[in-house]
Amino acid sequence: MRTATIKRKTKETDIEVSVNLDGSGVSDITTGIGFFDHMLDLLARHSRIDLTVKAVGDLHIDYHHTTEDTGIALGQAVRQALGNMAGITRYASVHMPMDETLSRVVIDISGRPVLVFKADFPRDKIGEFDTELVREWFNAFAMNAGVTLHVETLYGENSHHIAESCFKGLARALRAAVAIDLKAAGEVPSTKGSLGG
């Protein structure tokens, strides 16, 4: 089983994340941030990755630390669960519609963390959630998962739809990229013979 649990505790947050890359999309998410819980729940559902997130953070200040640190912990959990990455498909590209919005998410589980994020949000907030934190979460996740990740909203008018299309796009890209390629089972998909740098 490709599973991992990461515990991360700082003066700002106390977070535990568990993943099962070969799950069915079951989630148990509690961060204290309603919109963020919704994004993580749909990430689990559409990636088919079982995901448990228990986060307690300094929400009396703002949502930044909890959002970013959850991205860090989830990225670390995915990286650990992937192990030596033998047999994975590695690459995936998805166009994700959400009503009037269309986003493109492309991933390479390369071991080389890079994020290119291009999405403009018409509003500063979705409910109480700062839209700038969407990018912060994606950056934290990509850097700690060790993935090359390109996220671009091609067009869209509704901030909720833009964020949701980005998270759903990542979910479907992850689902494809972490899948075992039966024709290459046991092989690391790299001419170097290893992934990670």
Side-chain angles (χ1 to χ4, degrees):
M1 295 290 286
R2 297 183 296 166
T3 62
T5 297
I6 295 293
K7 296 180 180 180
R8 175 183 171 85
K9 187 170 185 177
T10 71
K11 291 181 179 179
E12 298 166 340
T13 60
D14 187 354
I15 297 171
E16 182 172 341
V17 172
S18 296
V19 299
N20 176 0
L21 301 184
D22 302 306
S24 59
V26 174
S27 66
D28 183 7
I29 314 291
T30 306
T31 68
I33 306 169
F35 177 76
F36 187 40
D37 287 358
H38 176 47
M39 293 298 103
L40 295 177
D41 179 59
L42 63 83
L43 177 68
R45 177 73 57 89
H46 292 284
S47 67
R48 305 290 290 174
I49 294 173
D50 291 347
L51 177 59
T52 300
V53 177
K54 301 297 179 189
V56 177
D58 53 2
L59 302 184
H60 62 286
I61 295 175
D62 66 9
Y63 295 164
H64 188 115
H65 299 142
T66 301
T67 303
E68 183 176 33
D69 289 5
T70 300
I72 291 170
L74 180 54
Q76 291 173 348
V78 168
R79 186 171 193 157
Q80 183 175 314
L82 282 166
N84 68 358
M85 299 181 239
I88 64 168
T89 301
R90 180 176 170 179
Y91 300 99
S93 176
V94 173
H95 282 83
M96 180 57 63
M98 178 67 195
D99 293 351
E100 86 298 341
T101 297
L102 182 65
S103 294
R104 176 175 56 220
V105 179
V106 183
I107 193 168
D108 173 11
I109 302 178
S110 60
R112 297 184 305 276
V114 175
L115 174 69
V116 177
F117 188 90
K118 297 181 179 180
D120 294 320
F121 292 92
R123 296 168 51 196
D124 291 336
K125 288 183 178 289
I126 303 169
E128 296 300 313
F129 187 84
D130 295 315
T131 51
E132 68 181 9
L133 294 180
V134 175
R135 187 193 188 286
E136 292 300 320
W137 183 89
F138 273 86
N139 187 64
F141 174 80
M143 295 303 111
N144 288 275
V147 300
T148 300
L149 184 59
H150 294 253
V151 180
E152 183 176 12
T153 297
L154 304 178
Y155 45 82
E157 300 173 2
N158 180 288
S159 293
H160 187 130
H161 295 167
I162 291 169
E164 188 161 336
S165 68
C166 292
F167 275 90
K168 282 183 176 176
L170 174 61
R172 295 299 294 206
L174 268 177
R175 180 174 175 174
V178 304
I180 298 299
D181 181 349
L182 296 179
K183 293 182 179 179
E187 297 176 14
V188 174
S190 171
T191 55
K192 297 177 182 178
S194 67
L195 290 168

